[in-house]
Every structure is written in C-alpha cells, then in structure tokens.
C-alpha cells in the first residue's frame, strides 16, 4: 500500500512513533480500509430518514463540513467516516469483515506511516475488506445510528 499522512500523525509524528514503540498489541486501520467507509444506497437512505439523535446529529455535522469545504450537499452517500472503523476494530470479531496482516509499522519525522522492516513495530493492520465486509459494516453502522 502507499503511505499517506494522516492529520493526527502529521501534527505529532513522534507521539505516534512512541505509541508504536510502547510494546502494546496494536490494531490499526489505514486509509486502505477506513478510506472506503461511506454509507450508500439503502443504508444511507435509512440513516437520513432516521429520527434518532445520533443520525440527526451526524447529518448536521456532515452538512456543516460540506459547507465549510465548499462541497455540494451530500445526496447519494455519506462522507467518509474514518473513526467508526477504528471503533469497529474493538468489537469481538473484526476479522470476520476485515483482512489483517501483521506488518512492521514506522512513523517517520514527516508523519508518513510506512511499512519498515528495520525500524517498524509489529501491528495488526487492516489491509482490506473481506467479500461482503464493507456492506456488513454499513449495516452495522446503520443499526447503531438507528439505536441512539
């Protein structure tokens, strides 16, 4: 995969490198998997029509950011939701929907997160969605939004 600079990492690369070097078991979701996470089709329609507080709040957040970024209102799909994928990794069996690889991850001084066999620290990296996994994730997210 190609390295990308994530804002949280870019502002403090040494903080992220310290996290990797702490010796903890880490699972991460780079943009290979989290960059695909939009609600589409029936799931987006259910999200928009829900009267739950969570759905109403997220709808307003999406409209706020679309206006701030001069985007057209989002009519066919949600914007990318990166953080909910990280939350999903904390569920009991994220590997049912996501393919993980153990990879040596390193954050350089410029904030690039890269695979580095010499300096990297091992992490379980979400590298792709299993067949049907992204659809199942959308269903999971929709049920959560409808519940709150």
């Amino acid at each position: 995969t190609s390295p990308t600079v994530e804002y949280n990492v870019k502002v403090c690369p040494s903080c992220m490198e310290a996290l990797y070097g702490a010796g903890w078991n880490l699972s991460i979701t780079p943009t290979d998997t989290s960059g695909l996470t939009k609600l589409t089709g029936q799931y987006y329609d259910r999200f928009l029509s829900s009267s739950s507080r969570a759905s109403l709040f997220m709808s307003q957040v999406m409209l706020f950011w679309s206006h701030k970024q001069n985007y057209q209102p989002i009519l066919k799909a949600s914007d990318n939701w990166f953080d909910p994928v990280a939350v999903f990794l904390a569920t009991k069996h994220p590997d049912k929907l996501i393919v993980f690889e153990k990879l040596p991850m390193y954050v350089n001084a410029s904030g690039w997160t890269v695979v580095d066999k010499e300096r990297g620290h091992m992490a379980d990296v979400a590298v792709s969605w299993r067949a049907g996994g992204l659809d199942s994730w959308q269903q999971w997210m929709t049920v959560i939004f409808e519940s709150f």
Side-chain angles (χ1 to χ4, degrees), residues 39-48 62 74-75 77-78:
L39 292 184
T40 60
Q42 66 170 323
Y43 303 117
Y44 190 56
D45 292 343
R46 283 173 54 190
F47 165 77
L48 288 178
M62 286 178 4
I74 303 162
L75 301 175
S78 71

Side-chain angles (χ1 to χ4, degrees), residues 68-115:
K68 287 290 242 189
Q69 300 297 322
N70 295 319
Y71 297 146
Q72 292 296 320
I74 303 162
L75 301 175
K76 295 186 180 183
S78 71
D79 203 357
N80 278 5
W81 291 345
F82 301 100
D83 296 333
V85 180
V87 171
F88 181 75
L89 295 187
T91 65
K92 193 170 184 177
H93 296 290
D95 56 325
K96 289 184 177 181
L97 304 185
I98 298 174
V99 176
F100 288 89
E101 288 183 28
K102 281 207 175 292
L103 296 171
M105 303 306 294
Y106 176 73
V107 179
N108 66 25
S110 299
W112 291 93
T113 303
V114 296
V115 175

